[in-house]
Amino acid sequence: MEGQDEVSAREQHFHSQVRESTICFLLFAVLYIVSYFIITRYKRKSDEQEDEDAIVNRISLFLSTFTLAVSAGAVLLLPFSIISNEILLSFPQNYYIQWLNGSLIHGLWNLASLFSNLCLFVLMPFAFFFLESEGFAGLKKGIRARILETLVMLMLLALLILGIVWVASALIDNDAASMESLYDLWEFYLPYLYSCISLMGCLLLLLCTPVGLSRMFTVMGQLLVKPTILEDLDEQIYIITLEEEALQRRLNGLSSSVEHNITELEQELDNVKTLKTKLERRKKASAWERNLVYPAVMVLLLIETSISVLLVACNILCLLVDETAMPKGTRGPGIGNASLSAFGFVGAALEIILIFYLMVSSVVGFYSLRFFGNFIPKKDDTTMTKIIGNCVSILVLSSALPVMSRTLALMWPPLFIQGPQLSGMQAVPGRV
């Protein structure tokens, strides 16, 4: 009987591993397909040649798609974990959701950590150097020469980063034990380096999120149709149409030798056409869209922003007054054992909404900064170099989102994440 029980346990473990691997593969496949369509929507069409550069661009495209899928997975893991915890609490004995367990969530977090490190330190540097490489002088041009140059550049970059981290560790803690621990690349060096990147990402999030919260109202105002109060859209469209016709006649009357004036008039004509398109869209919008959707969205943004600021202020006061409120990195109750919110499913839904709102606000704030303004992708007119930069930026922001959420106590990952890579994300029950 003991032998049969052992075989049965081994079979159950094998089937659970196969089931978890299948679920992880299917989830990542969906994210990869969605990421591929997003990148191809913005990728410049002129980059699609049929030569050596086309192969390089295609490889860089696949690596960028993989990185964007990992970033999306890192963002969606927090809501997925919270939803899984609440479902297991509501239906603890349901046979059809037994696949949703702590082992699966832990596996997803570990895969997200592994792939984030892989993309950040290997795939994205390789894609950038491979895209910019031409091969060493004196060697036969081709894919092999470009791969060789890329590998040499990656080795030099690894040595440079190793030296920087070594110097930083020596300046912070000049202890013999800490210096020797840097020799252990897998257990200490890579997690330490990833922690430094996460710290930079947290600082970037803290810089971008307040800017994004203030810019969200402007962005939504541009996307939605505003109410027409004391405005005559027909008259405005008539005036814009007359202005467009006047500019078109001026363009037709100018000779081709006056290139400077023609360029200015074409730019002004494009602006007039854009304004006319916006006015026509406002005119075609229904009364519900004009008078109900816009105010409702603005009120919802105001409520979400107020809740976010209130939670941050309360957490700061708790940290100043009570030392026990500091994150201790202790093991939480585990998946499906306790609710993460005092309000149950409603509080968990509020946490999920805040997660997405903060991530969208941080991305909006990132592109609103003057230094990163040139990173904004344009439809069918974004180079592969800019796509790689956008993928790296989103990966850094998404990797730092759980850390910032845990630090500010906006929401907490519902698991104890084991492993050195995610040691800073050990969870305790959340509060909303």
Side-chain angles (χ1 to χ4, degrees):
M1 294 297 294
E2 294 181 0
Q4 292 180 355
D5 293 340
E6 182 179 357
V7 172
S8 177
R10 290 170 57 188
E11 289 180 352
Q12 291 179 2
H13 178 72
F14 172 77
H15 290 307
S16 64
Q17 292 295 321
V18 173
R19 181 176 61 249
E20 292 173 9
S21 301
T22 305
I23 293 172
C24 293
F25 174 77
L26 292 177
L27 292 176
F28 184 78
V30 173
L31 292 176
Y32 189 91
I33 293 173
V34 174
S35 302
Y36 179 80
F37 282 111
I38 292 174
I39 291 181
T40 52
R41 178 181 176 85
Y42 291 98
K43 182 177 177 293
R44 179 178 292 177
K45 302 303 180 183
S46 60
D47 290 342
E48 298 177 355
Q49 305 95 1
E50 293 298 333
D51 52 3
E52 177 185 318
D53 291 334
I55 300 176
V56 174
N57 281 325
R58 197 173 296 116
I59 294 175
S60 300
L61 173 64
F62 292 153
L63 296 179
S64 301
T65 305
F66 184 86
T67 303
L68 186 60
V70 172
S71 304
V75 173
L76 294 176
L77 264 181
L78 276 175
F80 181 76
S81 303
I82 296 173
I83 292 175
S84 301
N85 185 72
E86 297 301 324
I87 290 177
L88 290 176
L89 280 176
S90 302
F91 309 99
Q93 303 299 328
N94 195 318
Y95 174 78
Y96 296 100
I97 60 172
Q98 292 302 311
W99 57 272
L100 199 63
N101 49 33
S103 177
L104 174 63
I105 307 298
H106 278 285
L108 290 174
W109 277 108
N110 291 330
L111 287 176
S113 172
L114 175 62
F115 288 152
S116 297
N117 283 302
L118 181 65
C119 293
L120 195 59
F121 300 121
V122 179
L123 298 185
M124 284 294 94
F126 178 85
F128 177 76
F129 290 128
F130 190 47
L131 192 66
E132 299 295 329
S133 63
E134 297 180 356
F136 291 113
L139 295 178
K140 184 180 179 180
K141 300 298 182 181
I143 298 296
R144 292 184 179 180
R146 299 180 74 160
I147 291 177
L148 179 60
E149 181 184 353
T150 302
L151 294 178
V152 172
M153 293 299 297
L154 285 177
M155 291 178 61
L156 294 176
L157 179 63
L159 291 176
L160 177 62
I161 295 178
L162 177 64
I164 293 175
V165 174
W166 195 286
V167 172
S169 178
L171 291 176
I172 297 174
D173 188 8
N174 193 13
D175 188 8
S178 62
M179 297 300 294
E180 290 179 0
S181 61
L182 285 175
Y183 290 107
D184 193 348
L185 294 180
W186 183 258
E187 293 294 333
F188 183 83
Y189 178 76
L190 288 179
Y192 176 74
L193 184 59
Y194 186 70
S195 299
C196 295
I197 300 297
S198 297
L199 176 61
M200 294 173 56
C202 286
L203 295 178
L204 185 61
L205 269 181
L206 292 176
L207 177 64
C208 296
T209 304
V211 178
L213 291 176
S214 61
R215 283 280 300 171
M216 283 293 292
F217 295 92
T218 304
V219 172
M220 295 305 297
Q222 295 174 353
L223 296 177
L224 299 176
V225 178
K226 297 181 181 180
T228 55
I229 302 175
L230 301 178
E231 286 185 277
D232 191 351
L233 293 180
D234 294 329
E235 181 180 356
Q236 294 183 20
I237 293 175
Y238 178 72
I239 295 173
I240 289 295
T241 304
L242 293 179
E243 187 176 353
E244 180 184 1
E245 294 176 354
L247 290 174
Q248 192 66 48
R249 285 195 297 268
R250 290 178 61 186
L251 275 175
N252 296 333
L254 288 176
S255 61
S256 59
S257 59
V258 191
E259 296 181 358
H260 180 68
N261 292 335
I262 290 178
T263 304
E264 290 183 353
L265 287 176
E266 288 179 349
Q267 182 66 33
E268 188 175 355
L269 182 61
D270 292 338
N271 295 334
V272 170
K273 289 182 178 179
T274 303
L275 182 58
K276 182 181 178 180
T277 302
K278 292 181 180 179
L279 290 175
E280 290 177 347
R281 179 174 178 268
R282 292 182 60 186
K283 182 181 179 180
K284 293 179 181 178
S286 62
W288 289 95
E289 185 179 356
R290 289 197 305 266
N291 301 323
L292 182 62
V293 175
Y294 182 83
V297 170
M298 288 300 167
V299 171
L300 183 62
L301 287 179
L302 181 61
I303 293 174
E304 291 179 350
T305 305
S306 302
I307 293 175
S308 302
V309 174
L310 182 62
L311 287 176
V312 172
C314 293
N315 183 58
I316 291 175
L317 291 177
C318 290
L319 294 178
L320 292 175
V321 175
D322 187 7
E323 292 184 357
T324 60
M326 290 292 293
K328 301 297 183 182
T330 56
R331 181 184 293 267
I335 185 77
N337 294 327
S339 179
L340 302 177
S341 172
F343 300 100
F345 191 80
V346 177
L350 179 60
E351 288 181 349
I352 295 172
I353 293 174
L354 288 177
I355 289 173
F356 287 115
Y357 183 61
L358 284 178
M359 188 61 197
V360 173
S361 300
S362 63
V363 173
V364 172
F366 175 80
Y367 289 118
S368 299
L369 296 177
R370 183 175 302 178
F371 183 76
F372 301 106
N374 295 328
F375 271 53
I376 299 177
K378 299 179 181 178
K379 183 181 178 181
D380 297 332
D381 192 27
T382 306
T383 61
M384 277 306 306
T385 304
K386 190 174 291 186
I387 288 176
I388 292 173
N390 279 276
C391 291
V392 172
S393 303
I394 294 176
L395 178 63
V396 172
L397 291 175
S398 62
S399 300
L401 180 64
V403 181
M404 189 191 73
S405 303
R406 190 193 194 291
T407 303
L408 298 180
L410 293 174
M411 68 289 295
W412 303 83
L415 304 173
F416 175 79
I417 306 302
Q418 297 177 347
Q421 290 88 346
L422 294 176
S423 60
M425 294 171 51
Q426 297 168 347
V428 295
R431 305 183 297 273
V432 173

